[in-house]
Amino acid sequence: MKPKIFATHRLFDPARTILQENCDAEYWEKQERPPREEVLRRVKDKEGLICLLTEKVNDELLLAATKLKIAANVAVGFDNIDVAACTRRGVIATNTPGVLDETTADFAWTLLMAVARRLGEGDALARSGDWKGWDLDQLVGTDVWGKTLGIVGFGRIGKAMARRASGFRMKVIYTDAVRATAEAEQELRAEYRDINALLAESDFISIHTPLLRGEIRAHEADRVPSQHVARAGGGRGGAGGGARERKNRGSGTRRI
């Protein structure tokens, strides 16, 4: 008899094929996330749960799912899983580290380039119908080539950003709670800085940390004397996201 599982989201076809061959799989097919009551009802007779960050796996769920043997989180993060509760009840909890490292770094680099070249503003201007013609200093932006990139959080994604920066002949500096090995620093041509030195020296900053005590917060961007902060590909809990404008010490409004 195949084990019963519940997936709280439609999965990609290759994954569904594997599950259908080996399990009695049930899926939440609607676009919106399943209500908590529905999740608790569906897991009552299930041995496996495939969930997203939006579903909490805690004592409440584990009490409802008395047959549960595994909670498989389709995410790198596992803030939604009470690991201690799963351990107490003998439920295996898994995540998917490494799957989106390069993908996230690609997107972070895209945001950095868009911020530097003021792509979002240009797109908005072109679509607004207000563009009257070219001018010498119109949406000039700044070059990325040869600048200094500060990376906050030098894990897998931070290191992937450093590799991308090498193609633009950027100087790479980084800060992290744990300093990288000398071999990694040499390979990536990255230099360690404390957070204050990094903020002072960087032309661009890319943040790749969870929102933890002691890490950079969004408001600390105001301390940066250089032009650009791309909070791109950031961590869970609010550290990541977009770009904004601020005044740059007498030099007009710059994109950051």
Side-chain angles (χ1 to χ4, degrees):
M1 189 174 184
K2 293 181 180 181
K4 294 182 178 181
I5 67 168
F6 173 56
T8 66
H9 194 276
R10 282 187 58 87
L11 301 174
F12 296 111
D13 288 340
R16 289 175 70 105
T17 298
I18 293 171
L19 290 173
Q20 290 301 144
E21 290 174 353
N22 296 280
C23 305
D24 180 4
E26 181 181 319
Y27 298 90
W28 176 258
E29 300 283 359
K30 296 181 181 180
Q31 183 65 36
E32 65 273 12
R33 305 305 309 131
R36 181 65 171 176
E37 296 76 14
E38 185 69 13
V39 174
L40 296 178
R41 185 183 70 81
R42 296 275 195 112
V43 297
K44 283 185 177 180
D45 63 340
K46 303 299 188 296
E47 295 167 80
L49 170 67
I50 301 175
C51 59
L52 304 184
L53 285 170
T54 46
E55 283 75 58
K56 289 189 178 298
V57 179
N58 54 15
D59 279 319
E60 180 189 36
L61 184 140
L62 295 171
L63 282 170
T66 57
K67 297 182 179 180
L68 196 67
K69 296 180 179 179
I70 184 170
N73 213 37
V74 186
V76 176
F78 49 91
D79 299 356
N80 59 314
I81 294 183
D82 187 335
V83 177
C86 288
T87 301
R88 287 195 302 270
R89 298 177 182 278
V91 175
I92 297 171
T94 67
N95 64 337
T96 56
V99 174
L100 296 177
D101 292 350
E102 298 299 333
T103 304
T104 304
D106 278 352
F107 189 64
W109 193 263
T110 299
L111 289 178
L112 187 151
M113 294 292 293
V115 168
R117 304 316 318 185
R118 304 179 69 175
L119 184 62
E121 293 168 275
D123 178 72
L125 179 61
R127 294 173 185 273
S128 70
D130 294 332
W131 184 67
K132 306 302 181 185
W134 178 82
D135 200 355
L136 180 63
D137 62 351
Q138 186 180 74
L139 298 176
V140 172
T142 190
D143 290 335
V144 174
W145 179 269
K147 297 293 181 66
T148 297
L149 172 63
I151 299 175
V152 179
F154 209 55
R156 296 186 304 268
I157 298 170
K159 289 182 174 70
M161 282 293 286
R163 289 193 293 271
R164 284 155 177 77
S166 66
F168 284 75
R169 299 285 182 90
M170 299 185 82
K171 177 180 180 180
V172 175
I173 59 178
Y174 76 94
T175 192
D176 196 288
V178 179
R179 184 167 178 172
T181 63
E183 292 77 11
E185 289 184 346
Q186 183 176 7
E187 176 190 354
L188 298 169
R189 298 181 180 180
E191 300 175 14
Y192 178 81
R193 298 286 192 276
D194 64 35
I195 186 62
N196 292 316
L198 182 140
L199 291 173
E201 295 179 34
S202 299
D203 297 304
F204 296 86
I205 295 175
S206 190
I207 302 174
H208 303 277
T209 64
L211 190 59
L212 300 174
R213 184 181 300 276
E215 300 286 6
I216 191 170
R217 301 297 197 271
H219 68 266
E220 289 185 288
D222 291 328
R223 296 165 51 194
V224 184
S226 52
Q227 292 98 331
H228 301 82
V229 176
R231 296 192 297 277
R236 301 172 301 282
R244 61 189 180 84
E245 288 188 346
R246 72 174 176 85
K247 291 292 182 180
N248 182 275
R249 299 198 301 182
S251 58
T253 300
R254 301 297 183 99
R255 268 316 270 180
I256 70 170

